């Protein structure tokens, strides 16, 4: 019998413990102390390589703002939580930030999985959310306090399709994509748009984000002898794909998405004898920002979302300078913002998406990537 | 269909790696009759050990390969000594051993993710300098040929050791019945320890092969599933069976991926496994 | 009427015949003894008959049904109850529950929606009293002594109220007065018309209880008949003492 | 305060999965690494019924539990005839296949994009939009599952499960069709865990295959092993510790960057150390 009693005691302790934590954390944002802001990025799991560097970009921005006196004299306090690119982890992380730390705003979800999980709750709690990289089209209907300074897949997929059809004159395209909210999203939009223009998708095959063997997909694509292979995939998949493509002697040219915008990939592609083009956001990513980031992370990568995360912090800080911390005023000010940041010109529409999302095309040649159009 | 030669080569390449993975698992399972899920972790340790020695410390390739295999073997040996021996001494049930091995797998994989980060890392230093051999329109690289030869070499060594050496006879005796083997004076603890070292070392070779051919990630489930499916389908306790199972699995996966797309690769592999488990659990080649 | 007959029953382990073309018949209302030195295949024979071991040849006739394959779950359906040489009880379960397992409904649906009724409890109480384990009813089976566990298994078999009983060395490990109780139970079952098969190698018990007797040696029946006839035969004595 | 409500809700939802898994591992000795797969079937089943067929939450949740049970019936019939070790590996395979289907059947499940916009339930006129009200709903469902567990184990059926757990053949000889018993408990457990999937879906209002992977099944397995085999309240205590205690780590300044992996290390350690030193778990009643 005493086992039963012991069990009850433990349940009560943990339950009450949480209740107590809940109460203690209830200190509303005092008018003078530091302004608490949260960040939800994947620090472990599949997309950790991107998440950890985006976090560094946020840290640089926060340090710079605080050094320059913070917001109306109040310092910014950034609390980082791990979203793991998975819905349960992202929900727990965001809930802690919103309900225990009572943050004013959240910079994050990198993966659309994370953002789509906690954004609705944030809207209810009137917490401003600025996502630096979640590009899933369905996030546009999230709500009044949701913004993303990263173009929705709809833009990039459409731009790539038009560029391939009109400029590159491609008529038959094979698609190899990563099965993820980002990869599948872009693929769907690209295919619909490309078919509308009269092109033909000759072969399509997806692989999980963590896949390493693309030989069968490449062989299938090669057999369909397309003009171009369109590959919306994350950086690690691109490395393996390039290697295996060169091994298989793939002659068809490769058109990538912004997952390819990674200096390490350009170096690897140097003597693989592959013709690689890829679309990426028209980021006037100033070299100054790249130096700062590479110096902090000690890695050459400037992955998807890093410049956007840096800009997101500045947009939030500037908006708070004039609107203070009231969610509605803050949201309206952000919506009216026109900001030229390291990730390019930023203006928001009523859905919180970027109004203008122009892309550039870069070509990987002898170790570096140069803008083509 | 000029793609056929390349598909055949894809199957051959993947088959090589799956066979290596299956051989290691077969060594462990056929001797101890125990499904060690930790095998996935031993294979990863092999790959990451070489990554650390060859790419970070910069030791020459051959030495770091050898050390990598030894470290993987040692991991298996120590795990058996620390975790499984105590459980077996207590006559723990298969369920207990299985759950403990699931713990070894989860712990091993997470520890590697912490030390080496969960990023994808390739073992081959300069990607492009592979010497290529083209057969018809299909292409196979030097590394892949090396992996293939390693697979058959390991199979050959294991067959010879298992059949013609005193150690091999002792192992087969334990495989049949551990108590009987002990009564005949075989120090089963020491032999099982050695078997674990060999099995984990072969698993390490498979991990290294994956590291060179495709790349490393702290996800041991893939290589574990391939090893188990190939070993079971091929025939538990039969070394030739493991290699046959490896190539058969590669065939089914590639055909499935070819017809239906890569994402269904695993579903096909498992469908084959379940069919065999139901209708021919002892696998194609008998023990 | 013969309750159960085996014809050329075979059981091979890696080619060696543990049960070698055995023909035995167990009549209703009688005690049939299976006798033989250790390792003569007595236990393997009843394990094969009751479905614990799949048979490799021959057939079993129970009533008018002829079977070439018996699975464990079929045994009870054929009206067979048995005990094991070294008991197979549910150790981490109470004595009472072990008995209730033999009494309550077998069908899944009734089991799901029913608890043991008073009739089950009374029946369990009666059979436990019969083997002198009443006051141990709430103890776990694994806490009982070897003899007590043997008695519990006998009680479990009785609760099956079957037509055919296989007792595998039921007297092993019992105190003398308990041996009398068990002998009495066997006689009661015989009087009640059941077919009792007794595996035993203690000749006095056989002479005292058995109506008919089969002597087994390395898987073969080397002699059959009443205990007196069988015990006089030279090769039986030689098989017994010669070893 | 709301964060406590969130964590307690997650404890209740995960607790339902743990109690239902205990029916399998704790009471019947059937190790299953597919609990997350059935939770996924429950979540997606309920969501699709609610969004596309307009069925209210309660009916959708019940129906999706039936779907999960039906799938478990088919799978159970196939797998449970396998030898013990292969059966366990079969459940790992089942989880992989269900996850692959959820991820790749774009037309039905929108694949990796997941399904957003799942509204909070309206049960018997009461709206559960408010988080505290939803917590009470989860607590009620957890209690219902706990009561179901208690009732099953108190019935004759439960006694037979305990017998199957220890010596299946000895019980078969008594005339029990043990295969049928194992399939039925497999179906019941799958149906019960489907409810945790349905509640998870309405709580987060968005579901995505990433929540129903093999790792999630391993997590629930670790909870049951920690809580103790053969005790429903042990499973709940295990959930409180693994969900509750772990969330507390965020406040001690545990470096977020390795927190995720540290959890996996901790689950692995639990499985090993408990098998070595405390196979009964904290409150378990059965020594495997």
């Amino acid at each position: 019998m005493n086992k039963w009693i012991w069990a009850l005691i433990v349940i009560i302790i943990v339950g009450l413990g949480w209740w107590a934590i809940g109460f203690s954390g209830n200190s509303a944002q005092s008018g003078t102390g530091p302004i608490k802001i949260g960040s939800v990025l994947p620090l472990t799991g599949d997309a950790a390589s991107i998440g950890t560097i985006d976090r560094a970009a946020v840290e640089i921005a926060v340090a710079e703002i605080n050094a320059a006196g913070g917001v109306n004299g109040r310092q910014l306090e950034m609390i980082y939580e791990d979203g793991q690119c998975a819905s349960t982890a992202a929900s727990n992380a965001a809930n802690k930030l919103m309900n225990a730390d009572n943050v004013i705003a959240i910079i994050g979800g990198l993966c659309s999985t994370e953002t789509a999980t906690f954004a609705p709750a944030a809207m209810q709690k009137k917490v401003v959310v600025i996502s630096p990289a979640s590009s899933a089209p369905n996030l546009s209907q999230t709500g009044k306090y949701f913004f993303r300074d990263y173009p929705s897949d709809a833009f990039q997929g459409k731009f790539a399709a038009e560029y391939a059809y009109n400029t590159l004159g491609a008529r038959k395209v094979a698609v190899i994509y990563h099965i993820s909210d980002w990869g599948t999203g872009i693929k769907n939009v690209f295919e619909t748009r490309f078919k509308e223009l009269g092109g033909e998708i000759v072969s399509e095959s997806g692989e999980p984000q963590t896949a390493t063997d693309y030989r069968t997909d490449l062989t299938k694509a090669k057999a369909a002898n397309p003009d171009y292979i369109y590959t919306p995939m994350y950086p690690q998949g691109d490395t393996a794909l390039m290697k295996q493509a060169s091994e298989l002697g793939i002659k068809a040219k490769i058109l990538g998405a912004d997952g390819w915008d990674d200096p390490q990939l350009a170096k690897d592609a140097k003597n693989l004898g592959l013709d690689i083009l890829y679309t990426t956001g028209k980021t006037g990513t100033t070299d100054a920002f790249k130096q700062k980031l590479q110096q902090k992370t000690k890695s050459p990568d400037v992955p998807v979302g890093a410049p956007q995360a840096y800009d997101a912090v500045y947009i939030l800080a500037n908006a708070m300078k004039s609107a203070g911390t009231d969610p509605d005023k803050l949201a309206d000010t952000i919506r009216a913002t026109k900001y030229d940041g390291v990730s390019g010109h930023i203006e928001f529409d009523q859905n919180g998406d970027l109004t203008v999302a122009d892309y550039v095309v870069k070509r990987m040649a002898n170790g570096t990537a140069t803008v083509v159009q | 269909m000029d793609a056929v030669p390349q598909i055949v080569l894809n199957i051959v390449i993947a088959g090589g790696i799956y066979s290596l993975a299956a051989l290691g698992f077969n060594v462990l399972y056929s001797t101890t009759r125990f499904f060690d899920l930790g095998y996935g972790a031993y294979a990863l340790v092999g790959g990451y050990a070489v990554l650390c020695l060859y790419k970070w410390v910069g030791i020459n390739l051959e030495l770091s390969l050898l050390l990598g295999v030894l470290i993987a073997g040692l991991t298996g040996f120590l795990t058996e000594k620390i975790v499984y021996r105590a459980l077996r001494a207590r006559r723990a049930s298969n369920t207990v051993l299985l759950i403990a091995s699931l713990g070894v797998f989860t712990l091993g994989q997470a520890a590697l993710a912490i030390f080496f980060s969960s990023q994808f890392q390739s073992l081959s230093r300069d990607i492009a300098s592979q010497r290529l051999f083209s057969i018809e329109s299909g292409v196979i690289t030097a590394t892949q040929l090396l992996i293939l030869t390693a697979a058959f070499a390991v199979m050959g060594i294991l067959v010879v050791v298992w059949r013609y050496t005193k150690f091999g006879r002792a192992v087969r005796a334990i495989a049949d019945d551990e108590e009987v083997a002990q009564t005949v004076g075989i120090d089963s603890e020491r032999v099982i320890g050695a078997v674990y070292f060999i099995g984990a070392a072969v698993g390490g070779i498979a991990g290294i092969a994956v590291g060179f051919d495709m790349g490393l990630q702290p996800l041991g489930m893939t290589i574990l599933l391939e090893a188990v499916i190939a070993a079971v389908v091929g025939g538990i306790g039969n070394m030739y069976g493991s290699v046959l199972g490896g190539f058969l699995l590669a065939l089914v996966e590639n055909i499935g991926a070819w017809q239906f797309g890569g994402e269904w690769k695993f579903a096909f592999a498992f469908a084959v496994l379940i069919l065999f488990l139901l209708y021919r659990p002892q696998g194609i080649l008998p023990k | 009427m013969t309750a159960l007959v085996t014809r050329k029953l075979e059981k091979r382990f890696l080619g060696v015949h543990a049960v070698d073309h055995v023909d035995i018949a167990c009549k209703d209302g009688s005690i049939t003894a299976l006798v033989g030195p250790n390792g003569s295949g007595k236990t393997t024979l009843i394990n094969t008959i009751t479905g614990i071991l799949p048979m490799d040849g021959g057939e079993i006739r129970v009533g008018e049904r002829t079977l070439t394959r018996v699975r464990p779950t079929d045994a009870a359906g054929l009206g067979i109850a048995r005990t094991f040489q070294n008991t197979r009880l549910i150790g981490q379960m109470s004595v009472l529950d072990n008995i209730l397992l033999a009494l309550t409904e077998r069908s899944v649906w009734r089991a799901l929606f029913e608890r043991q009724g008073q009739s089950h409890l009374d029946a369990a109480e009666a059979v436990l009293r019969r083997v002198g384990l009443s006051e141990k009813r709430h103890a776990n089976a694994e806490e009982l002594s070897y003899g007590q566990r043997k008695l519990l298994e006998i009680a479990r078999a009785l609760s099956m109220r079957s037509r055919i009983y296989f007792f595998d060395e039921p007297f092993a490990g019992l105190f003398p007065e308990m041996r009398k109780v068990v002998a009495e139970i066997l006689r009661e079952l015989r009087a009640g018309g059941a077919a009792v098969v007794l595996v035993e190698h203690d000749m006095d018990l056989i002479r005292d209880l058995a109506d008919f007797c089969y002597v087994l040696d390395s898987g073969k029946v080397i002699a059959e008949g009443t205990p007196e006839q069988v015990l006089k035969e030279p090769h039986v004595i030689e098989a017994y003492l010669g070893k | 305060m709301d964060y406590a409500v969130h964590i307690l809700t997650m404890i209740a939802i995960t607790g339902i999965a743990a109690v239902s898994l205990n029916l399998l591992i704790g009471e019947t000795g059937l190790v299953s690494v597919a609990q997350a797969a059935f939770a996924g079937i429950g979540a997606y089943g309920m969501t699709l019924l609610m969004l596309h067929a307009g069925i209210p939450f309660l009916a959708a949740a019940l129906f999706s539990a039936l779907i999960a049970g039906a799938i478990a019936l088919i799978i159970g019939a196939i797998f449970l005839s396998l030898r013990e070790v292969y059966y366990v590996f079969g459940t790992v395979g089942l989880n992989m296949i269900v996850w692959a289907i959820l991820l790749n059947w774009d037309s039905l499940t929108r694949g990796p994009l997941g399904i957003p916009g799942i509204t909070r339930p309206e049960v018997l006129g009461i709206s559960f939009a408010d988080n505290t009200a939803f917590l009470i709903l989860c607590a009620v469902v957890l209690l219902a599952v706990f009561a179901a567990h208690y009732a099953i184990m108190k019935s004759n059926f439960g006694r037979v499960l305990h017998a199957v757990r220890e010596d299946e053949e000895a019980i078969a000889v008594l005339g029990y069709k043990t295969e049928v018993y194992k399939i039925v408990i497999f179906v019941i457990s799958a149906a019960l865990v489907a409810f945790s999937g349905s509640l998870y879906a309405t709580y987060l209002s968005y579901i995505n295959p990433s929540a129903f992977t093999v790792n999630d099944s391993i997590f629930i397995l670790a909870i049951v092993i920690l809580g103790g085999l053969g005790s429903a309240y042990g499973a709940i205590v295990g959930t409180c510790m693994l969900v509750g205690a772990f969330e507390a780590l965020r406040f001690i300044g545990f470096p977020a960057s390795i927190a995720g992996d540290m959890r996996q290390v901790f689950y692995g350690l639990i499985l090993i150390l408990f098998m070595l030193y405390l196979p009964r778990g904290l409150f378990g009643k059965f020594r495997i």
Side-chain angles (χ1 to χ4, degrees):
Chain A
M1 247 351 252
N2 61 7
K3 276 215 160 82
W4 171 257
I5 296 153
W6 266 107
L8 224 55
I9 292 166
V10 170
I11 295 175
I12 291 164
I13 290 171
V14 173
L16 286 181
W18 274 106
W19 219 267
I21 290 178
F23 277 114
S24 68
N26 214 350
S27 55
Q29 290 275 358
S30 60
T32 55
I35 305 171
K36 283 194 200 162
I37 300 172
S39 142
V40 175
L41 294 167
L43 306 174
T44 58
D46 298 349
S49 55
I50 303 171
T52 36
I53 295 173
D54 287 6
R55 171 182 162 152
V58 170
E59 277 162 355
I60 298 171
V62 168
E64 284 169 3
I65 294 169
N66 281 342
V71 171
N72 308 344
R74 289 175 66 189
Q75 293 285 307
L76 287 184
E77 180 196 342
M78 183 61 80
I79 305 160
Y80 299 95
E81 290 297 345
D82 180 10
Q84 293 178 25
C85 206
S87 38
T88 316
S91 156
N92 290 341
N95 243 286
K96 182 247 178 187
L97 292 172
M98 289 191 288
N99 298 315
D101 300 326
N102 292 82
V103 294
I104 304 285
I106 290 181
I107 306 287
L110 183 102
C111 310
S112 298
T113 314
E114 296 169 325
T115 318
T117 306
F118 71 78
M123 295 308 117
Q124 237 178 13
K125 198 91 165 78
K126 293 194 170 174
V127 169
V128 170
V129 173
I130 305 178
S131 165
S134 300
S135 57
N138 58 6
L139 286 172
S140 302
Q141 292 78 29
T142 307
K144 181 177 180 228
Y145 309 97
F146 176 76
F147 302 89
R148 51 179 167 184
D149 61 352
Y150 183 85
S152 145
D153 296 338
F155 295 106
Q156 180 164 191
K158 201 155 74 60
F159 174 84
E162 281 153 7
Y163 182 79
Y165 194 82
N166 304 332
T167 325
L168 298 175
R171 290 299 172 269
K172 290 196 297 177
V173 166
V175 178
I176 303 174
Y177 66 100
H178 268 161
I179 299 166
S180 76
D181 40 278
W182 172 74
T184 312
I186 294 184
K187 174 212 81 167
N188 292 345
V189 173
F190 175 86
E191 285 184 359
T192 9
R193 184 71 185 122
F194 193 70
K195 285 182 191 140
E196 268 163 28
L197 295 166
E200 186 201 346
I201 303 291
V202 289
S203 114
E204 175 204 287
S205 93
E207 285 287 348
Q209 213 166 312
T210 53
T212 50
D213 181 356
Y214 299 93
R215 268 187 280 272
T216 316
D217 312 292
L218 284 166
T219 317
K220 207 158 114 178
K222 186 177 167 190
N225 51 56
D227 312 331
Y228 263 84
I229 303 176
Y230 184 56
T231 56
M233 289 166 50
Y234 288 106
Q236 61 250 37
D238 305 331
T239 334
L241 184 90
M242 269 196 306
K243 189 159 109 51
Q244 287 157 22
S246 82
E247 280 167 15
L248 299 175
I250 302 273
K251 290 294 165 284
K253 305 183 200 59
I254 290 177
L255 175 63
D258 50 13
W260 288 76
D261 189 9
D262 183 343
Q264 180 59 32
L265 286 178
K267 260 202 236 62
D268 291 345
K270 197 140 49 90
N271 27 38
L272 281 179
L274 289 169
D275 175 347
I276 299 175
L277 287 167
Y278 62 88
T279 61
T280 183
K282 185 163 178 299
T283 56
T285 334
T286 59
D287 290 340
F289 169 71
K290 271 195 192 164
Q291 253 80 42
K292 272 189 273 182
L293 188 63
Q294 282 156 356
Q295 191 252 336
K296 185 170 175 64
T297 63
K298 297 190 194 42
S299 113
D301 299 349
V302 178
V304 158
Q308 284 83 1
Y310 181 82
D311 287 344
V313 177
Y314 268 95
I315 292 170
L316 184 67
N318 298 344
M320 277 198 285
K321 280 197 174 97
S322 54
T325 56
D326 167 74
D328 294 299
K329 274 204 245 118
L330 194 56
D332 298 339
T333 319
I334 293 175
R335 199 178 313 292
T337 312
K338 288 185 177 45
Y339 178 77
D340 283 306
V342 291
S343 65
H345 179 71
I346 295 170
E347 268 181 66
F348 295 110
D349 66 12
Q350 81 294 349
N351 291 335
D353 289 338
L354 288 176
T355 48
V356 66
D358 36 27
Y359 286 85
V360 282
V361 178
K362 292 188 180 173
R363 176 185 300 283
M364 284 194 187
N366 44 55
T368 60
T370 50
V371 176
V372 167
Q373 181 226 327
Chain B
M1 258 290 266
D2 61 357
V4 169
Q6 185 53 56
I7 293 181
V8 168
L9 279 174
N10 292 351
I11 292 169
V12 165
I13 298 161
I17 296 177
Y18 295 167
S19 310
L20 273 170
L23 279 168
F25 184 80
N26 198 354
V27 162
L28 295 183
Y29 183 64
S30 62
T31 315
T32 59
R33 270 286 161 280
F34 151 49
F35 228 76
D36 184 357
L37 298 179
Y39 181 74
Y42 313 147
L44 283 180
V45 163
Y48 275 101
V50 170
L51 174 79
C52 182
L53 296 169
Y54 178 55
K55 279 199 140 174
W56 293 1
V57 176
I59 304 174
N60 74 57
L61 183 61
E62 290 69 22
L63 184 58
S64 45
L65 282 180
L66 184 65
L67 286 175
V69 171
L70 294 181
I71 291 170
L74 203 61
T75 325
F77 176 76
L78 288 176
T79 314
E80 195 277 331
K81 210 167 182 16
I82 298 163
V83 178
Y84 303 139
R85 185 160 298 178
L87 287 176
R88 261 210 309 275
R90 205 184 65 213
R91 285 274 167 279
S93 73
N94 248 344
T95 317
V96 170
L97 281 163
L98 191 78
I99 293 172
S101 75
L102 185 61
V104 168
F105 172 76
T106 315
L107 177 68
Q109 185 173 272
L112 288 173
I114 291 177
F115 289 120
F116 294 96
S117 90
S118 35
Q119 281 173 328
F120 171 83
Q121 291 162 52
S122 173
L123 279 183
S124 48
R125 227 178 239 168
D126 32 33
I127 288 182
S129 72
Q130 293 286 346
R131 271 205 337 286
L132 301 179
F133 304 88
S134 61
I135 303 152
E136 302 222 351
S137 61
V139 167
I140 186 165
T141 68
T143 337
Q144 286 152 356
L145 274 182
L146 201 63
I147 294 168
L148 265 176
T149 40
F152 285 100
V154 165
M155 181 191 77
I157 296 164
L158 286 177
V159 165
V160 164
V161 166
W162 249 243
R163 191 156 299 167
Y164 302 112
T165 63
K166 202 166 82 61
F167 171 76
R169 271 192 297 284
V171 169
R172 274 185 286 120
I174 290 176
D176 286 344
D177 191 329
E178 196 174 342
E179 277 88 19
V180 166
Q182 277 164 341
T183 52
V184 175
I186 294 173
D187 172 356
S188 70
E189 289 310 332
R190 210 169 47 74
V191 170
I192 288 179
V195 161
Y196 250 81
F197 183 83
I198 296 168
V202 171
I205 299 173
I208 295 164
V210 168
F212 271 101
D213 183 44
M214 291 179 256
L216 276 177
Q217 279 193 327
L219 292 171
M221 188 56 91
T222 355
I223 198 161
L224 175 66
L225 297 183
E226 283 149 10
V228 170
I229 296 173
V232 166
V233 166
I236 284 292
N238 181 315
M239 296 305 167
Y240 302 108
S242 295
V243 174
L244 176 69
F247 284 101
L248 197 66
L249 175 61
L251 177 76
V252 165
E253 272 193 0
N254 276 290
I255 302 293
W258 174 261
Q259 293 305 331
F260 296 95
E263 62 272 26
W264 296 107
K265 215 188 272 189
F266 260 121
F268 275 99
F270 259 99
V272 167
L273 171 69
I274 289 162
L275 280 177
F276 265 88
L277 289 180
L278 284 171
Y279 299 111
R280 199 169 161 79
Q282 73 277 24
I284 300 170
L285 301 178
K287 195 161 160 13
Chain C
M1 229 290 275
T2 50
L4 179 143
V5 171
T6 67
R7 282 211 203 85
K8 296 191 184 48
L9 193 63
E10 277 181 77
K11 180 60 197 172
R12 285 188 302 275
F13 287 118
L14 302 167
V16 170
H17 262 101
V19 172
D20 195 347
H21 297 79
V22 164
D23 298 313
I24 63 169
C26 319
K27 290 194 179 46
D28 289 325
S30 83
I31 296 179
T32 315
L34 299 178
V35 187
N38 272 342
S40 58
K42 307 193 293 292
T43 300
T44 316
L45 175 59
I46 61 170
N47 280 348
T48 311
I49 294 172
T50 56
I52 299 286
L53 296 173
M55 59 179 105
D56 295 329
E59 58 189 30
I60 295 175
R61 202 167 53 74
V62 178
E64 353 43 60
R65 286 167 53 189
T66 312
L67 300 130
T68 55
R69 192 172 78 95
V70 179
R71 286 178 316 201
T73 43
D74 306 334
L78 297 168
I80 296 174
R82 65 163 296 171
T83 66
F84 292 87
Q85 192 173 11
N86 25 42
T87 59
R88 289 183 72 169
L89 293 160
I90 308 302
Q92 295 184 46
M93 199 186 267
S94 74
V95 165
L96 180 60
D97 277 325
N98 269 282
I99 296 297
L100 286 171
L101 277 172
L103 288 169
T104 53
E105 270 308 312
R106 300 298 190 272
S107 93
V108 178
W109 302 117
R110 298 203 50 185
L112 250 179
F113 301 105
E114 276 173 16
R115 295 198 58 201
Q116 63 276 11
Q118 193 47 44
S119 63
H120 296 134
L121 290 171
D122 298 344
E125 216 44 60
V127 82
L128 283 178
R129 243 196 329 281
R130 188 76 179 76
V131 289
L133 288 172
S134 301
E135 67 298 333
K136 286 280 185 185
R137 71 175 65 78
H138 293 306
N140 275 355
E142 63 190 2
E143 293 151 17
L144 302 179
S145 70
Y146 179 74
Q148 287 169 324
R149 285 212 300 276
K150 283 292 233 186
L151 290 168
L152 180 56
E153 240 192 20
I154 292 169
R156 183 175 72 178
L158 289 181
S159 319
M160 300 278 286
R161 291 193 202 83
S162 309
R163 266 189 59 233
I164 308 163
Y165 290 89
F166 286 89
F167 291 103
D168 196 340
E169 296 182 18
F171 297 94
L174 297 188
F175 295 116
E177 76 284 354
M178 284 325 287
R179 294 170 83 102
K180 275 206 268 347
V181 169
V182 171
E184 219 172 89
I185 291 173
L186 297 187
R187 289 197 192 86
E188 266 170 36
L189 289 174
R190 172 173 55 190
V196 176
V197 179
L198 174 62
V199 170
E200 188 49 60
H201 41 69
D202 175 334
M203 293 321 290
D204 308 333
L205 282 169
I206 300 295
R207 215 178 271 111
D208 173 24
L209 283 168
D211 306 319
F212 198 81
C213 185
Y214 292 93
V215 180
L216 281 137
D217 188 13
S218 53
K220 285 197 221 23
V221 173
I222 57 170
E224 55 183 81
T226 63
E228 291 69 25
Q229 291 165 339
V230 157
L231 291 175
K232 286 204 296 304
E233 291 199 17
H235 58 277
V236 167
I237 299 160
E238 183 254 319
Y240 248 78
L241 308 172
K243 292 265 174 340
Chain D
M1 197 6 208
D2 288 350
Y3 187 55
V5 167
H6 168 73
I7 292 302
L8 293 175
T9 312
M10 290 310 280
I11 288 177
I13 291 176
T14 319
I16 294 167
V19 169
S20 72
L21 183 59
N22 180 58
L23 276 174
L24 282 184
I25 300 181
E27 310 298 348
T28 327
L30 284 171
V31 179
S32 160
V33 191
Q35 218 56 2
F38 289 113
I41 293 169
Y44 274 86
M46 193 283 299
T47 305
L48 293 171
L49 287 170
M50 210 159 91
L51 295 187
H52 296 314
I55 300 175
F57 170 77
L58 198 58
L62 283 171
F63 201 69
S64 73
L66 288 179
I67 296 169
I71 294 171
L73 182 63
I74 302 157
I75 302 290
I78 298 170
F79 278 8
L80 287 170
S81 60
L82 299 179
R83 265 210 335 258
E84 181 208 356
V85 166
Y86 289 145
Y87 151 77
V88 175
F89 212 77
T91 58
V92 173
L94 170 68
N95 205 25
M96 298 287 285
I97 290 179
V98 168
W99 177 70
I101 290 173
L102 293 181
L103 192 67
N104 298 316
W105 192 350
D106 290 350
S107 55
L108 184 71
T109 64
R110 285 166 45 89
L113 300 175
I115 303 176
I118 306 164
T119 51
R120 278 288 172 83
E122 272 273 333
V123 176
L124 313 173
I126 312 157
S127 147
F128 288 91
D130 165 59
N131 284 346
T132 317
F134 192 83
L135 170 60
I136 293 162
L137 173 67
C138 292
V140 164
V141 176
L142 176 62
L143 276 178
V145 170
F146 185 83
H149 181 289
Y150 184 83
I152 290 172
M153 291 329 290
K154 274 289 167 266
S155 69
N156 295 339
F157 184 86
R159 182 184 306 115
V160 177
L161 290 186
H162 282 171
V164 164
R165 174 176 64 183
E166 247 188 86
D167 188 346
E168 185 174 349
E169 207 171 50
I171 284 307
V173 170
L174 295 180
Y176 286 97
K177 291 199 170 41
T178 51
E179 296 303 331
V180 177
Y181 276 82
K182 289 199 288 190
I183 290 173
V184 166
I185 193 64
F186 193 75
V187 167
I188 292 173
S189 161
L192 290 179
V193 78
F195 284 106
S196 101
S198 301
L199 286 171
Y200 177 84
T202 44
Y203 180 60
L204 289 186
S205 83
Y206 167 79
I207 45 170
N208 162 296
S210 69
F212 309 111
T213 64
V214 173
N215 276 350
D216 296 296
S217 288
I218 292 173
F219 172 54
I220 303 171
L221 179 66
I223 289 176
V224 172
I225 299 289
L226 172 71
L229 294 177
S231 101
Y233 54 82
I236 295 177
V237 167
T239 316
C240 286
M241 296 173 91
L242 280 196
V243 175
F246 252 84
E247 288 307 313
L249 290 182
R250 291 182 196 281
F251 293 90
I252 309 161
F254 200 80
S257 59
I258 54 166
D261 292 322
M262 281 312 286
R263 276 189 196 213
Q264 294 292 336
V265 168
F266 192 74
Y267 301 152
L269 276 177
I270 285 179
L271 295 179
I272 297 171
L273 295 179
F274 272 80
M275 283 304 112
L276 275 173
Y277 303 112
L278 200 61
R280 214 190 264 273
L282 295 178
F283 297 99
K285 294 203 275 296
F286 174 62
R287 218 177 346 71
I288 38 182

